[in-house]
């Protein structure tokens, strides 16, 4: 028995074709939306690509762009088929390729769903990418005179101000690296010599953060130097004082931003997938209803439409049987070729055996 069998007359078939045609063109716009989301996501990642450890993060936006383009093409073709289904003479030319097209649509819908799942799961690898990228970026903050790294200070400062964050995990990350270039240090000064001499790696470390870590909403002037020295400022205790720098780490802030963006995109792709499944089912009903006309010469005769000609179990069984028969057929072909290949060898052995007796001679 067919799955979700529906009876159609001429009026119902026309209404179905018109509805699915409208849905297909709506799906074309949905494809443009997926393409635009992928393009927007790619631009957002490129803005801060210097702070990411690898280029694998661009795989998802590239996939979204590709899926959007493919969706536009598939849905435009499906809309044309639905439009021509209103005229039997035009629909005949699409009939031979319609089954293949429906299989392509099913595969595309499955890939679109996988894309949506990747949007929800990409937050996990992005977390490690940001952690390593920010760590390396902070090391290069001072290299304003080094070709290829001179932009890093500006990138990090803008990022910390935009995302209202400081450091990788928190503001104390700046205490563990030298973020002031040597060209701005007076190596003849005693305090500079002492700081460099007290460090194993010979770095100029200090309990300070860049200006971009300052919170402009704080009523107190920004304390970004000697942050752990209570005597350096009046009425200040860094253990209890509400610091006027951003406490949140930039990895957490950026992960929250990109994670929210990917969740939104993933949800929209799921909705687009549901629309694609709906138009695929509609086209299947159009195809099956036009194939089962009670009187093929009379377009106004009644017909039946379905999603699957048999039940899900029977369809699955048929597919497995076909796959098994194809496997057996290939084995038979290989066996036949092997038998043919061995026949000449056997004949030559017989001839040699007979020749050994001197009864026959081969010319």
């Amino acid at each position: 028995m067919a799955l979700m069998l529906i009876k159609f007359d001429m009026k119902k078939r026309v209404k179905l074709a018109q509805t699915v045609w409208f849905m297909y063109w709506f799906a074309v716009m949905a494809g443009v939306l997926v393409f635009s989301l992928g393009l927007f996501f790619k631009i957002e990642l490129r803005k801060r690509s210097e702070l990411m450890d690898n280029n694998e993060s661009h795989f998802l936006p590239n996939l979204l762009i590709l899926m959007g383009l493919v969706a536009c093409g598939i849905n435009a073709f499906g809309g044309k088929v639905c439009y021509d289904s209103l005229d039997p003479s035009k629909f005949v030319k699409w009939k031979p390729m319609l089954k293949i097209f429906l299989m392509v649509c099913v595969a595309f819908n499955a890939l679109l769903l996988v894309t949506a799942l990747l949007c929800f799961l990409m937050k996990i690898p992005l977390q490690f990418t940001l952690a390593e990228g920010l760590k390396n970026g902070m090391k290069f903050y001072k290299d304003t005179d080094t070709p290829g790294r001179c932009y890093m200070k500006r990138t990090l400062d803008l990022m910390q101000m935009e995302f209202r964050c400081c450091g990788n995990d928190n503001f104390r990350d700046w205490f563990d690296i030298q973020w002031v270039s040597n060209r701005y240090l007076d190596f003849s000064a005693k305090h500079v010599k002492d700081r460099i001499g007290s460090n194993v790696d010979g770095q100029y470390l200090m309990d300070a953060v860049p200006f971009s870590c300052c919170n402009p909403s704080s009523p107190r002037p920004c304390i970004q130097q000697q942050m752990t020295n209570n005597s350096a400022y009046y009425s200040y205790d860094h253990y209890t004082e509400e610091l006027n720098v951003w406490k949140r780490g930039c990895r957490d802030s950026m992960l929250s931003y990109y994670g929210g963006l990917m969740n939104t995109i993933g949800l929209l792709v799921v909705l687009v997938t549901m629309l694609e499944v709906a138009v695929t089912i509609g086209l299947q009903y159009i195809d099956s209803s036009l194939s089962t006309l009670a009187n093929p010469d009379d377009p106004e005769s009644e017909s039946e439409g379905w999603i699957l000609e048999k039940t899900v179990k029977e369809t699955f069984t048929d597919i497995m049987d076909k796959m098994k028969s194809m496997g057996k057929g290939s084995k038979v072909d290989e066996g036949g070729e092997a038998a043919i290949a061995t026949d000449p060898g056997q004949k030559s052995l017989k001839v040699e055996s007979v020749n050994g007796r001197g009864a026959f001679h081969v010319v």
Side-chain angles (χ1 to χ4, degrees):
M1 183 178 177
L3 180 64
M4 298 185 70
L5 182 67
I6 299 177
K7 294 186 178 297
F8 289 92
D9 54 19
M10 180 64 177
K11 186 177 180 180
K12 285 185 178 181
R13 283 195 299 271
V14 171
K15 188 175 181 180
L16 173 65
Q18 291 174 341
T19 302
V20 177
W21 175 82
F22 176 78
M23 290 175 65
Y24 258 120
W25 288 110
F26 189 72
V28 170
M29 291 187 287
V32 174
L33 174 63
V34 173
F35 172 82
S36 303
L37 290 172
L39 195 60
F40 171 74
F41 191 26
K42 189 176 183 66
I43 293 172
E44 286 297 300
L45 288 175
R46 279 193 175 276
K47 283 181 181 178
R48 303 168 188 91
S49 59
E50 302 91 352
L51 303 176
M52 297 183 184
D53 187 44
N54 55 54
N55 294 323
E56 295 176 3
S57 54
H58 291 278
F59 169 76
L60 183 58
N62 290 338
L63 180 61
L64 286 168
I65 291 171
L66 177 63
M67 296 301 289
L69 291 174
V70 174
C72 291
I74 287 179
N75 293 321
F77 181 81
K80 174 63 176 174
V81 172
C82 288
Y83 181 80
D84 287 348
S85 67
L86 297 173
D87 186 351
S89 61
K90 293 182 178 180
F91 184 72
V92 171
K93 63 181 179 181
W94 304 119
K95 189 64 180 175
M97 64 180 74
L98 206 52
K99 294 293 183 185
I100 298 175
F101 177 70
L102 286 168
M103 292 174 64
V104 171
C105 289
V106 172
F108 174 74
N109 294 341
L111 188 57
L112 200 58
L113 183 60
V114 171
T115 304
L117 293 176
L118 288 176
C119 289
F120 295 117
L121 296 175
M122 189 185 169
K123 188 175 180 179
I124 298 173
L126 187 61
Q127 180 177 1
F128 299 101
T129 298
L130 285 172
E132 194 65 26
L134 285 169
K135 183 179 177 182
N136 293 332
M138 290 172 65
K139 290 179 181 178
F140 302 144
Y141 182 90
K142 68 180 186 300
D143 298 339
T144 52
D145 298 327
T146 305
R149 298 178 184 173
C150 55
Y151 57 83
M152 189 57 70
K153 178 182 180 299
R154 179 178 180 275
T155 300
L156 278 168
D157 283 334
L158 290 175
M159 181 265 297
Q160 290 190 142
M161 289 188 289
E162 180 181 354
F163 288 92
R164 299 185 175 186
C165 59
C166 186
N168 193 340
D169 295 319
N170 54 61
F171 67 92
R172 292 183 179 275
D173 293 332
W174 289 107
F175 297 177
D176 300 327
I177 62 171
Q178 178 182 338
W179 54 271
V180 177
S181 176
N182 288 338
R183 66 178 296 188
Y184 302 113
L185 296 176
D186 182 7
F187 286 94
S188 62
K190 183 178 182 302
H191 72 280
V192 174
K193 291 180 180 179
D194 291 342
R195 284 186 180 274
I196 294 177
S198 63
N199 183 260
V200 177
D201 298 326
Q203 293 184 334
Y204 182 76
L205 304 181
M206 54 184 177
D207 53 345
V209 297
F211 78 96
S212 53
C213 285
C214 293
N215 181 358
S217 301
S218 174
R220 181 169 188 163
C222 185
I223 298 176
Q224 64 179 105
Q225 303 285 338
Q226 302 184 56
M227 296 180 66
T228 59
N229 185 1
N230 292 335
S231 62
Y233 304 97
Y234 174 74
S235 185
Y236 174 73
D237 184 355
H238 74 279
Y239 289 110
T240 59
E241 183 78 10
E242 185 70 25
L243 296 176
N244 49 10
V245 296
W246 302 116
K247 293 183 179 181
R248 191 179 189 186
C250 291
R251 178 179 59 176
D252 185 42
S253 295
M254 293 182 69
L255 192 62
S256 177
Y257 170 72
Y258 284 117
L261 185 62
M262 288 183 292
N263 288 340
T264 302
I265 293 175
L267 181 60
L268 290 173
V269 174
V270 169
L271 295 176
V272 172
T273 304
M274 294 171 64
L275 176 62
E276 293 290 345
V277 171
V279 294
T280 302
I281 292 174
L283 185 60
Q284 169 61 16
Y285 271 118
I286 291 174
D287 179 36
S288 56
S289 63
L290 290 175
S291 301
T292 58
L293 288 171
N295 183 6
D297 298 328
D298 182 13
E300 297 186 3
S301 60
E302 294 185 350
S303 62
E304 294 180 342
W306 53 73
I307 296 178
L308 293 175
E309 190 172 358
K310 299 178 182 180
T311 62
V312 176
K313 183 179 180 180
E314 291 173 343
T315 303
F316 180 76
T317 303
D318 288 346
I319 293 173
M320 294 302 295
D321 290 341
K322 288 180 180 179
M323 292 176 65
K324 289 179 181 178
S325 62
M326 289 174 62
K328 290 180 180 178
S330 62
K331 289 181 180 179
V332 170
D333 293 339
E334 291 175 0
E337 292 175 359
I340 293 172
T342 55
D343 282 343
Q346 291 174 356
K347 290 179 181 179
S348 62
L349 288 174
K350 289 179 181 178
V351 172
E352 289 176 2
S353 175
V354 173
N355 284 340
R357 296 174 186 175
F360 297 95
H361 297 280
V362 179
V363 180

